[in-house]
Amino acid sequence: MYSSPRLAGNTSGEPLKGASMAKLKIISAGTGEHSTFPLTQSMVRIGRHPDNDIIIGDHRISRLHVLIERKGEAFRIKDPKSPNGTMLNGTELVRDQWYPLRPGDKIVLAKGAATLEFVDESQPPEVSFSDTPVAEEATVFRSADQIIGDIRPSDATRLLAAGPQEMLRELARMQRHVDKLSERLTLISKLSQALGSVSRFSLDDIYQRSIELLFKFTPADRCTIMRMDRDTDQLQPVCTRYRPGREEIQSLPISRTITDRVRREQQSLLWTHSTADSQAPGTLVKHGIHSVMCAPLIGLHALVGVLYVDRQSPTEFFDVDDLELLNTVAGPTAMAIDNALAFEQLRREEMTRAAYNRFLPPHLVDKLVASPEAIQLGGANKVVTILFSDIREFTTLAEKTDPRNVVELLNDYFTEMTEIVFANNGTLDKFIGDGLMVLFGAPESTPQDAINAVRAAIEMQQHMVVLGQQLRRYGFPLIRIGIGINTGEVTVGYIGSERRTDYTAIGDAVNLAARLEGRAAPGQILISESTVAQIGDAFPVRRLGPAQVKGKTEPIEVFEVLWTKA
């Protein structure tokens, strides 16, 4: 049941000196009502537990679901490891990792249990857009690879034949050309220095360094970097900065007509307006914007965004040189963004593999890496087949054997058993002492789940024959295992505390599989009637008759898999 969020009386974070204008607007999933909570502490805890600063009483919300921390003037958010996850602007947060918060960011907890909007009135407001068309005759276009314009050195013969005055003019023009080339090379060098170590930078670092160079080499009053949002297929501002002393222009609109055209044609654009131009776009001129430049940020495979700069001076405009400087910055910036995104994607994939390789078969890990939404790891009721196995007489073995040899034996045994489990599309739930628990049908179900479970059990018993013979050569006694299998509906998902959770299954069907394993003799595989119904005649089985097991008021039918005949 959902209850409206509330601010707790006890706060875990230290109050900050001075008034904070940052706050969270929380939208109730049940009623749609809005609640506002000022972020006046250095650390704000949000979750279901009463000890949190902001309490959201929905069963899908974890006891501690997210943390919001203030570092100086910046805010950041982290999902400590909630089972149902957190989305920031449509992207799921990697667990236990900090992410920066910006004004207007949308935070969705537990697949829609609650929606939060981060508001910080001390930071510049979101950029507004103008859709007013721009005057066509006031524009200049350059393709992204036209960094240096059409200026070429004069023909040497013509220069030598020229008179003194013409020669001076040509030499002056050539000097300007050389100066322009020098300026471009200087800028490219500085870009290389600034963005060369991109693997150590966040996207915010890239945005900031690129904009700093634009302010240094162009007369821009405002610089905005916009990125393509793949979900909406629209350009969204991700970073806006103002030249010191020009902060008063922060509420001025951006021409969507210009940005959409640059995006569509993938050509940089220069627009200027003189006070005598009667065809100027009304909205921009009304706000005193007389000159705009915009360049595409073209990555290796696609457009990643645009660079947009403008200035207010009615008499001093951007010129073609400025446009070429913008193009000079746009190229390396796009490459740096592309590299940073690729680096982040690889890092996420590495984290995903590290997190799931230990209990999921490789093909499911590959699916999670390629499409995280394709496999649901949240809590759900599913019909699965559960397998338990245990080494018989292991306690006696451990008492008579050097502990180091026991650990080595267990590691070898679990390594071999895990390979068999994964080869049959099983999910390794946990190791339990010298035993293990395996799920077939979670997180991904197939019609073959019960058959895969019994086949895995047979292969485990067959492998134990070989392993037992090998161990006896080294003085170990004969080692055998008992296995129990049951099929039924269970609850699967991440279960545990806020500090540690495991992907597992709970329910009566799990308990029955464990009871069957407990009844199994060394070298025996016992399965339930529900599992027999699922496997049909795929394997030879023998009915053992009804048996009374703990937790059941009525006897259950028990069957043995004749694995030596399979």
Side-chain angles (χ1 to χ4, degrees), residues 247-264:
E247 290 82 359
E248 74 278 2
I249 69 170
Q250 61 185 4
S251 61
L252 302 186
I254 280 177
S255 172
R256 200 190 307 270
T257 304
I258 290 177
T259 58
D260 284 351
R261 182 161 187 173
V262 170
R263 168 196 168 186
R264 183 176 63 253

Side-chain angles (χ1 to χ4, degrees), residues 385-388 421 426-430 436-440:
T385 299
I386 308 102
L387 179 153
F388 280 89
V421 167
T427 297
L428 181 60
D429 186 296
K430 61 175 67 71
L436 54 86
M437 172 181 169
V438 183
L439 306 178
F440 295 84

Side-chain angles (χ1 to χ4, degrees), residues 540-553:
V541 299
R542 178 177 66 184
R543 180 177 178 273
L544 299 181
Q548 190 70 48
V549 298
K550 183 179 178 180
K552 292 288 187 181
T553 57

Side-chain angles (χ1 to χ4, degrees), residues 3-19:
S3 63
S4 297
R6 58 191 177 88
L7 187 63
N10 58 320
T11 57
S12 58
E14 292 296 326
L16 294 172
K17 295 181 180 180

Side-chain angles (χ1 to χ4, degrees), residues 34 37 56 79 102 116 183 238 246 274 282 292 309 337 348 355 415:
H34 291 201
F37 298 97
I56 303 177
D79 183 328
R102 302 180 184 87
L116 291 66
E183 187 177 34
V238 293
R246 303 294 294 164
S274 67
V292 174
V309 299
I337 291 173
R348 286 175 182 251
T415 297

